[in-house]
Amino acid sequence: MPTTPHTDTAKLLDRLDHYYDAVPRSAARVEDFGPLRLFVREGQGWPYYARPNPSWVDGTVTADDVRRVRARQRELGVPESFEWIAETAPALRAAVEAAGLTVHEHPLLVLDPEAPPGPTPDGTDGTVVRTVAPDDPVLPSALAVPHLAFQEPGTGLAGLPELDAAAHARAHDGSTRHAAERMRDGLTRVAAAVADGRALCAGQHQPVGDISEIVGVGTLPTARRRGLARAVTATLVADARARGVETVFLSAGDGTVARVYAGLGFRTRATALIAEPAEPAEPAEPAAPGA
């Protein structure tokens, strides 16, 4: 049978769906609830999501199924969060909305295999964009800066004093050590825009076999509008390609952010959905890269 664009897309989305089911397994256990699957993190790190159970063959899911998972998430003290690809689980949206959750849509973009390399910063302003090693002194700030970025959309007020405080906390609370262990195991790769020993922008990609997702690209609010997120993303892409990754993808915050990534060769191929209570008790860690 000849390959058509439709079958190509279906195969691609199937690969992405298997990635979403595989990537948490290095740090979480699986709890199945019929058509839904909850990943329960073991050890440090941000709690994982619930998502469709790929072994549930008939595709049906009800609001009661969603409520059972939400009850378990409350019991565990983790966010009531569900993440999935709209096109691979079309029945889930109605079920989570009937269960009282709000659904947010994010463009799901995949890098064109023929896309040329992204921009290489010239460093004339003193900023160098590079990968970060597990023992790099800049790692605590590279882990801290995306959190500050996502707390303040737009051009915010958080600057170097806030970054230094957040990096100091991460250097002493065990999170940097945990991240370094994942980096040594090849589970996470980090890139950052570095100036004066600090990461002004940073992000990660998380390879599983020949596929990797770029996540959490964020810029210090007072350092925005300099193209740092674009350069960091390009560096992550180059690193993934150098390591044999064939499929690089990401979820954009919205259409405006998606257009930024389109300039690097990313193309919208589907829609990523995130469901959560309308007023979550705690702000969620953004999975989507931010400019």
Side-chain angles (χ1 to χ4, degrees):
M1 175 183 294
T3 299
T4 67
H6 175 76
T7 57
D8 283 347
T9 298
K11 290 178 181 178
L12 172 63
L13 296 186
D14 184 64
R15 294 186 70 227
L16 298 185
D17 200 60
H18 278 85
Y19 174 91
Y20 280 129
D21 192 72
V23 71
R25 293 175 180 271
S26 62
R29 70 177 186 272
V30 174
E31 295 186 6
D32 283 342
F33 296 79
L36 298 171
R37 171 168 289 172
L38 175 63
F39 291 99
V40 181
R41 178 175 281 280
E42 297 180 317
Q44 288 187 320
W46 195 263
Y48 284 111
Y49 41 75
R51 67 177 320 275
N53 182 350
S55 64
W56 192 257
V57 294
D58 68 4
T60 59
V61 59
T62 69
D64 284 340
D65 294 322
V66 176
R67 292 186 185 103
R68 281 192 288 273
V69 176
R70 292 186 67 187
R72 177 58 173 154
Q73 289 171 321
R74 289 193 295 270
E75 180 183 353
L76 292 167
V78 300
E80 297 172 51
S81 175
F82 293 72
E83 299 185 15
W84 72 102
I85 301 172
E87 291 78 2
T88 62
L92 183 52
R93 180 166 189 159
V96 299
E97 289 179 335
L101 296 176
T102 299
V103 177
H104 306 280
E105 298 184 1
H106 301 279
L108 186 62
L109 298 97
V110 179
L111 183 68
D112 184 341
E114 303 301 320
T120 301
D122 59 18
T124 54
D125 66 350
T127 302
V128 177
V129 182
R130 58 175 175 80
T131 57
V132 176
D135 57 353
D136 195 318
V138 83
L139 182 59
S141 62
L143 300 175
V145 70
H147 290 261
L148 295 175
F150 289 114
Q151 289 170 5
E152 291 191 33
T155 303
L157 299 177
L160 296 181
E162 291 78 10
L163 177 59
D164 288 344
H168 178 80
R170 286 189 168 269
H172 292 85
D173 66 3
S175 58
T176 298
R177 182 176 66 253
H178 173 73
E181 290 171 356
R182 288 183 56 84
M183 294 165 70
R184 292 188 184 98
D185 290 339
L187 300 171
T188 300
R189 297 287 297 171
V190 178
V194 181
D196 297 325
R198 303 179 181 94
L200 302 182
C201 174
Q204 304 176 12
H205 77 88
Q206 304 184 61
V208 177
D210 65 354
I211 186 168
S212 191
E213 181 182 18
I214 293 176
V215 297
V217 179
T219 304
L220 188 69
T222 55
R224 287 175 176 149
R225 308 294 186 263
R226 292 164 52 182
L228 299 182
R230 179 182 171 91
V232 165
T233 302
T235 300
L236 291 168
V237 166
D239 182 81
R241 284 175 159 174
R243 293 172 181 278
V245 171
E246 296 179 1
T247 302
V248 182
F249 76 103
L250 56 82
S251 297
D254 54 33
T256 299
V257 176
R259 286 191 288 275
V260 174
Y261 291 118
L264 291 172
F266 285 89
R267 303 290 178 258
T268 300
R269 301 297 297 272
T271 302
L273 299 180
I274 299 176
E276 59 188 4
E279 296 183 0
E282 297 180 3
E285 170 82 354

